[in-house]
Amino acid sequence: MGKPLAFYEALYRDMEAARDATGIQEKVLIQVGSATCEKAAGADAVMVEFTKLIQASGRQDILLKQTGCTGRCAREPVVGVFFPGKMPVKYEEVTVPKVQTIFQEHVQNGRVVTDLMLDKRTDTLYNHVVTLCSSRSCSPDSGRTLENRLKRRLDANGVDPDTIRIFQGGCMGLCSPGAKGNQRVMMVYPAKALYHFRTDQQLDEIIQSHFVRNEILSQYLTRTDFITENFFKLYGDVAFFNKQTRLTLRNSGLIDPESLGDYVVNKGYEALARILDGKDSRAVIDEITRSGLRGRGGGGFPTGAKWKNAITYTDDPVKYVVCNADEGDPGAFMDRSALEGDPFIVIEGMTLGAYAIGARKGFVYIRAEYPLAIERLERAIRKAEDHRLLGRNIMDSGFDFEIEIRLGAGAFVCGEETALMYSIEGKRGQPRIRPPYPTQSGLWGHPTVINNVETWANVPTIILFGAEWFGRLGTEKSKGTKVFALAGKVRNTGLVEVPMGTPLREIIYDIGGGIPDDKALKAVQTGGPSGGCIPARLIDTPADFESLAAIGSIMGSGGMIILDEDDCMVATAKFFLEFTQSESCGKCVPCREGTLRMLEILERITSGEGAMEDLDKLERLGQLIRKTSLCGLGQTAPNPVLSTLQNFREEYEAHILQKRCPTHKCSRLLKYEIDPEKCVGCTLCARRCPVLCIAGKPKEAHEIDQSRCIQCGECFNACKFGAVKKN
Amino acid sequence: MTGTDVKTILHKDIVKFIRECLKKDHPDSYLIAVLHKVQGRYGWLSEPHMAEVAQLLQVPTATVSGVATFYHFFRLRPRGRFAISVCLGTACFVRGADEIVEAFRSELGIGMGETTQDGLFSLETSRCLGVCALAPVVMINEKVYSKVTAKQVPELIRQMQEG
């Protein structure tokens, strides 16, 4: 064992001892989410209230901790209560009065407050919870068939299947190559046992032992995989997590993001120690190349190849690594949540990358709009420096590396790598022509590797578990997992991580819980302003780089906005174009002028002045901008328009030919009318109308003068009798 | 010119920060960081302040104003005591942020980017704040209000006037 491994083991021992000194294994743990959105939902007050109650109770066996984003954004603040040896319980939308109830009933008296539980689910009250691996790479006998088989066997063994909650989980990444297509895997909670079996006879043995005699049957236990173990801890929230595979977010929502100790005892810095301990820098690049990892920022460029480029064509001794955390896509919050939930994994990933290419300095370029992420990152960097995991002679290896944070200032184009570099250099963030690529000539002319947050966060996991393991997740060309920010018209808005190639339907319905208010799904928007709108009929498309590109959208960085029947596709396209138009840096003509002309056409269409030729013009202009713009912003700006034209042309036609917005979203095309049958003549609408275009005597039906109406909707909102109709 | 005895109009902490930057590699690359500090203290970037940044950091004034005007985050006019910023990210848009903008506009009687005459309120929109799951959101000074409706707007304004 060399010095870095010895250093790591000492560090691990210290951190473990510090953790055990808190008595966390025996104590009741209360965990409060503390990401930006949790705070916006009132998590700070919840934290304060718990602190007060714990102090007042005088109990020493309760531990209160904060954690990062658990992904359940719509139900925040989320509080987890963990009794040793019992099923974890999670509570949703916790407020100060609810804290008092939870503390009194559950923490003090051990009675779970089922009314306040997350999703009102009482899964955790079953005797056992079983999750079956239903990975597509396993045998066809997975999922539903396996579930039925298990139920039959439980029944045959005299175990009431209703005392056991059975879930079909996502891929657990457990299948060893030799066992592929043969072995079934199931996890049993709260015993945290992970069984593998092939035959019914083996299954019977497990049932007899575990469910009848309550004894763990060790001969069928699978090597417990660390990631799966972590999965157990999320179990207050089975419904949301059982279809997910969390690699980059594996610690998010579990550890205290401000505690280096929490990260280290969860396998943090083991990957770095193993590499620094005598491994050649080439070994890192080889491992990453073999894993098939591709850039998660949207481009999908093979990460290993990028790193290799930075050392192949140059002998420049000065090199840089950069983490692109300029998450500018409206509707995307993956990187913010990742940095707020587990900043150390990104730092470790960058350190590994720096070692691989021989960089001694790294930058994190982050949006100024993310104050909490910045604060957590700063704190994490300082702690890493204090423990010699950054700075000089890292882990006694002789390797030096430091990280500096640079703030963006609200320019979307700075997500483009050449613009980003100018911004780090303190200049206007305008992109330039490539080549030369940053790996040849980057920051101040030196070779620079730029990867986004999620890409860096994948690196330690790949080194830790190996390229082969990583390659088993995902599809042939898109390996691993992808984090999506699920938002818009979906029940469980939040952050999800799934294997590449998971069908959109599974993400939206199984994890996202479907569309609220029983509305119909209309489209899925992926890739933000650079992406496209996927119509509901293509919802079985797998979410991977190739499949999404094939249907006119892009993977992008992971924003996924769900649109329902009430959303106007023309207005949505216009919304994105307004965004890219105002964010265009103005350097090249096609983007600066072209997007403006396209926007003008859309303005015309949505105000009822469009002509059918406009659609051809939009298409021609769109293609031109795509082909001739300087950078990715312009090249992809027409995508929302072109994809909606392709998939929802009839909506454009309704706006033009019938002067009608089918969803009543485009206010200029609305027509308000008063139903004389329902109008009681209360005069409220006439008094509210800002342009005084409603005529009528008291107690008589009123009428709107359409020529003067400005479609403001005041009358519609004012009427208490539903007499004003919107068409 | 940059001696310590020269009287500066910028706060001493900012001057100190700039002097530290000058000792590092590529001092001019800290321009954006310096402007963040100036705006953080004074709320906006005034011309005299920018001129002094140029002087102290030894970069042309044109570069400073070029950078300040390029990035949306930097304000070149003072804002009100309550800076109301309506998020116009996709999720907020889908959930009706435009109605909230309209409500603030009609209640306050000012347009986007403007400040009320009493200097109390200024109205702006922001790009995605990344709080999409709680859309639509409004940020007033540093506090984020989630799931806002147009109907709550008059009440929000009243609260600020009283508080």
Side-chain angles (χ1 to χ4, degrees):
Chain A
M1 189 165 65
K3 278 181 179 172
L5 271 177
F7 182 99
Y8 166 75
E9 297 212 337
L11 177 75
Y12 186 92
R13 274 197 305 276
D14 287 353
M15 296 299 179
E16 196 181 34
R19 178 195 64 182
D20 292 345
T22 64
I24 195 167
Q25 315 285 27
E26 298 88 47
K27 285 185 179 175
V28 181
L29 173 65
I30 302 174
Q31 223 174 26
V32 182
S34 69
T36 297
C37 19
E38 309 247 18
K39 289 192 180 216
D44 285 342
V46 167
M47 198 82 182
V48 170
E49 187 65 18
F50 270 121
T51 315
K52 269 196 244 161
L53 290 172
I54 294 169
Q55 274 169 359
S57 75
R59 285 177 62 170
Q60 300 296 317
D61 64 333
I62 303 173
L63 211 58
L64 180 65
K65 287 191 95 169
Q66 61 171 358
T67 189
C69 175
T70 52
R72 288 306 296 271
C73 318
R75 300 271 185 274
E76 282 162 354
V78 172
V79 168
V81 177
F82 304 77
F83 273 84
K86 288 218 175 119
M87 298 290 264
V89 176
K90 292 216 175 156
Y91 294 105
E92 66 178 16
E93 292 175 352
V94 177
T95 55
V96 169
K98 286 184 188 174
V99 168
Q100 291 160 355
T101 314
I102 293 167
F103 192 81
Q104 192 57 37
E105 291 289 313
H106 189 174
V107 181
Q108 291 282 52
N109 295 322
R111 285 193 299 265
V112 178
V113 192
T114 46
D115 287 352
L116 304 181
M117 279 173 67
L118 188 56
D119 294 333
K120 309 272 180 292
R121 297 192 76 133
T122 46
D123 306 327
T124 48
L125 304 177
Y126 285 82
N127 293 347
H128 304 277
V129 171
V130 174
T131 301
L132 300 164
C133 181
S134 59
S135 155
R136 268 163 297 279
S137 60
C138 281
S139 71
D141 173 26
S142 59
R144 191 62 61 187
T145 19
L146 188 58
E147 185 180 330
N148 288 334
R149 185 174 149 201
L150 176 64
K151 280 184 178 158
R152 277 198 307 276
R153 295 324 304 163
L154 284 170
D155 212 29
N157 282 284
V159 178
D160 180 3
D162 289 339
T163 60
I164 295 168
R165 176 88 194 183
I166 301 169
F167 279 105
Q168 292 175 44
C171 177
M172 300 173 194
L174 291 169
C175 29
S176 55
K180 204 169 182 177
N182 225 335
Q183 184 169 298
R184 326 272 182 268
V185 179
M186 68 175 190
M187 285 195 286
V188 188
Y189 206 75
K192 295 190 184 182
L194 188 62
Y195 291 112
H196 63 91
F197 59 93
R198 284 165 208 268
T199 63
D200 276 357
Q201 197 198 337
Q202 290 172 333
L203 188 54
D204 285 349
E205 281 179 55
I206 294 170
I207 291 170
Q208 276 298 329
S209 171
H210 197 114
F211 299 118
V212 179
R213 298 195 302 273
N214 256 327
E215 290 165 12
I216 291 174
L217 190 61
S218 55
Q219 73 188 95
Y220 295 123
L221 280 185
T222 292
R223 159 192 70 92
T224 15
D225 183 291
F226 165 74
I227 292 212
T228 321
E229 241 176 65
N230 244 358
F231 192 88
F232 280 123
K233 296 183 201 155
L234 289 164
Y235 256 84
D237 194 4
V238 207
F240 187 65
F241 285 107
N242 72 46
K243 286 276 179 183
Q244 296 194 43
T245 305
R246 295 191 139 204
L247 299 189
T248 62
L249 295 175
R250 64 185 152 99
N251 293 326
S252 199
L254 295 174
I255 67 167
D256 177 350
E258 293 177 14
S259 159
L260 175 64
D262 271 15
Y263 180 66
V264 170
V265 297
N266 281 291
K267 283 212 176 274
Y269 282 106
E270 188 182 323
L272 185 65
R274 278 201 225 154
I275 291 299
L276 291 183
D277 201 87
K279 288 263 178 20
D280 181 35
S281 60
R282 280 274 175 180
V284 186
I285 298 185
D286 288 345
E287 195 74 16
I288 297 298
T289 308
R290 280 194 300 124
S291 75
L293 177 67
R294 292 168 65 178
R296 298 296 196 248
F301 191 81
T303 308
K306 187 186 270 185
W307 293 11
K308 202 176 264 173
N309 286 345
I311 57 167
T312 310
Y313 306 107
T314 170
D315 48 10
D316 189 338
V318 179
K319 296 190 185 73
Y320 297 103
V321 290
V322 173
C323 173
N324 183 350
D326 190 52
E327 184 173 54
D329 281 15
F333 49 93
M334 300 78 53
D335 295 348
R336 174 180 65 72
S337 305
L339 287 169
E340 285 173 5
D342 186 10
F344 291 104
I345 201 168
V346 178
I347 295 173
E348 189 186 353
M350 286 178 73
T351 314
L352 283 160
Y355 179 72
I357 67 158
R360 295 178 56 166
K361 172 122 194 173
F363 292 93
V364 179
Y365 184 82
I366 184 167
R367 294 180 79 195
E369 287 89 336
Y370 287 174
L372 185 65
I374 296 166
E375 186 192 317
R376 293 230 162 114
L377 198 57
E378 273 171 353
R379 225 174 265 192
I381 290 173
R382 261 202 314 276
K383 282 192 179 153
E385 283 167 351
D386 290 347
H387 288 86
R388 294 185 42 226
L389 300 164
L390 274 179
R392 292 201 166 263
N393 191 19
I394 293 172
M395 290 180 153
D396 289 335
S397 66
F399 170 60
D400 302 339
F401 178 60
E402 57 172 353
I403 294 179
E404 201 177 301
I405 296 176
R406 290 292 171 105
L407 299 192
F412 176 64
V413 70
C414 288
E416 198 279 340
E417 58 181 13
T418 58
L420 183 148
M421 293 191 300
Y422 284 125
S423 189
I424 289 181
E425 291 175 9
K427 298 175 182 149
R428 289 163 70 94
Q430 286 182 312
R432 63 157 169 82
I433 287 174
R434 296 178 304 178
Y437 287 92
T439 46
Q440 296 160 273
S441 174
L443 283 171
W444 297 288
H446 302 294
T448 303
V449 162
I450 303 171
N451 283 123
N452 98 320
V453 172
E454 196 183 331
T455 315
W456 288 121
N458 267 300
V459 172
T461 313
I462 292 172
I463 299 295
L464 209 50
F465 297 102
E468 280 73 29
W469 175 84
F470 184 80
R472 287 207 294 277
L473 291 163
T475 65
E476 200 195 329
K477 286 186 175 162
S478 304
K479 300 291 188 199
T481 59
K482 180 78 195 86
V483 179
F484 289 102
L486 204 53
K489 308 285 181 60
V490 61
R491 275 201 189 92
N492 302 333
T493 46
L495 204 64
V496 306
E497 183 169 350
V498 291
M500 289 270 193
T502 303
L504 294 172
R505 180 189 296 279
E506 245 174 61
I507 300 173
I508 300 163
Y509 285 94
D510 295 351
I511 302 173
I515 320 298
D517 308 323
D518 292 322
K519 294 272 170 75
L521 171 77
K522 187 185 237 175
V524 184
Q525 210 283 339
T526 64
S530 313
C533 289
I534 301 163
R537 70 187 146 80
L538 295 176
I539 177 185
D540 287 307
T541 307
D544 61 56
F545 289 109
E546 281 71 29
S547 309
L548 291 179
I551 54 171
S553 189
I554 59 163
M555 170 78 90
S557 57
M560 190 180 277
I561 309 280
I562 312 302
L563 304 169
D564 72 8
E565 53 186 281
D566 293 339
D567 290 304
C568 172
M569 301 314 290
V570 185
T572 306
K574 192 176 113 201
F575 165 80
F576 281 116
L577 201 64
E578 269 169 3
F579 178 84
T580 33
Q581 209 290 313
S582 83
E583 290 296 333
S584 171
C585 80
K587 185 169 178 176
C588 73
V589 179
C591 178
R592 184 183 67 225
E593 299 298 328
T595 53
L596 186 61
R597 296 288 95 83
M598 282 181 83
L599 188 59
E600 284 167 359
I601 297 175
L602 287 178
E603 298 274 1
R604 278 211 296 274
I605 295 176
T606 52
S607 49
E609 289 153 22
M612 285 305 278
E613 304 92 83
D614 282 340
L615 299 186
D616 298 333
K617 279 187 200 158
L618 277 178
E619 253 158 15
R620 249 194 354 260
L621 256 173
Q623 294 298 349
L624 187 78
I625 297 168
R626 220 181 220 182
K627 284 184 195 132
T628 55
S629 291
L630 175 63
C631 81
L633 189 150
Q635 287 158 13
T636 59
N639 282 355
V641 180
L642 294 176
S643 76
T644 46
L645 260 178
Q646 188 189 334
N647 295 314
F648 299 93
R649 202 180 178 91
E650 67 286 354
E651 282 197 33
Y652 282 86
E653 289 173 356
H655 282 76
I656 294 170
L657 297 174
Q658 300 158 25
K659 313 267 179 242
R660 187 177 73 85
C661 173
T663 58
H664 308 310
K665 276 276 150 139
C666 299
S667 58
R668 296 281 304 277
L669 293 178
L670 286 178
K671 192 175 169 196
Y672 290 95
E673 281 172 316
I674 297 175
D675 182 351
E677 299 285 304
K678 286 190 177 165
C679 180
V680 298
C682 74
T683 73
L684 185 61
C685 60
R687 280 179 281 138
R688 286 279 172 85
C689 178
V691 291
L692 307 172
C693 74
I694 303 179
K697 293 189 179 121
K699 298 193 177 150
E700 282 175 23
H702 284 48
E703 203 180 347
I704 300 173
D705 179 356
Q706 298 296 340
S707 65
R708 282 155 62 208
C709 175
I710 55 165
Q711 293 93 19
C712 69
E714 282 289 325
C715 52
F716 180 82
N717 294 331
C719 185
K720 292 181 178 125
F721 306 95
V724 181
K725 296 269 177 287
K726 186 157 74 167
N727 287 306
Chain B
M1 194 161 252
T2 53
T4 40
D5 52 340
V6 174
K7 188 143 179 59
T8 56
I9 52 168
L10 284 167
H11 189 270
K12 62 177 184 353
D13 290 351
I14 297 171
V15 176
K16 194 173 149 220
F17 177 74
I18 296 175
R19 297 231 158 92
E20 278 164 15
C21 292
L22 287 170
K23 291 179 202 144
K24 297 181 188 170
D25 294 342
H26 310 290
D28 53 344
S29 76
Y30 291 90
L31 175 57
I32 295 172
V34 171
L35 293 180
H36 270 300
K37 290 226 183 274
V38 175
Q39 181 161 296
R41 175 159 286 274
Y42 301 102
W44 64 298
L45 305 177
S46 68
E47 262 182 49
H49 282 154
M50 288 198 283
E52 193 165 285
V53 168
Q55 187 69 261
L56 292 174
L57 201 59
Q58 291 292 291
V59 290
T61 321
T63 307
V64 177
S65 68
V67 166
T69 51
F70 182 83
Y71 295 97
H72 304 295
F73 199 82
F74 295 129
R75 281 183 299 274
L76 303 170
R77 278 187 291 183
R79 54 175 10 183
R81 190 151 76 82
F82 295 102
I84 304 165
S85 178
V86 184
C87 177
L88 281 190
T90 318
C92 293
F93 167 76
V94 171
R95 296 207 170 203
D98 44 345
E99 288 166 24
I100 297 167
V101 170
E102 208 35 62
F104 273 114
R105 238 204 298 238
S106 66
E107 284 291 325
L108 296 173
I110 51 171
M112 274 302 138
E114 291 176 1
T115 304
T116 50
Q117 292 223 312
D118 56 6
L120 211 51
F121 301 103
S122 55
L123 187 57
E124 46 198 70
T125 56
S126 69
R127 293 304 182 206
C128 188
L129 296 172
V131 197
C132 312
L134 303 173
V137 299
V138 174
M139 193 157 87
I140 300 174
N141 293 343
E142 295 299 302
K143 191 169 183 299
V144 178
Y145 294 81
S146 54
K147 294 183 184 167
V148 179
T149 62
K151 283 205 175 113
Q152 293 170 350
V153 166
E155 173 63 20
L156 276 174
I157 292 174
R158 204 181 51 78
Q159 276 176 14
M160 284 183 272
Q161 277 165 337
E162 285 171 3

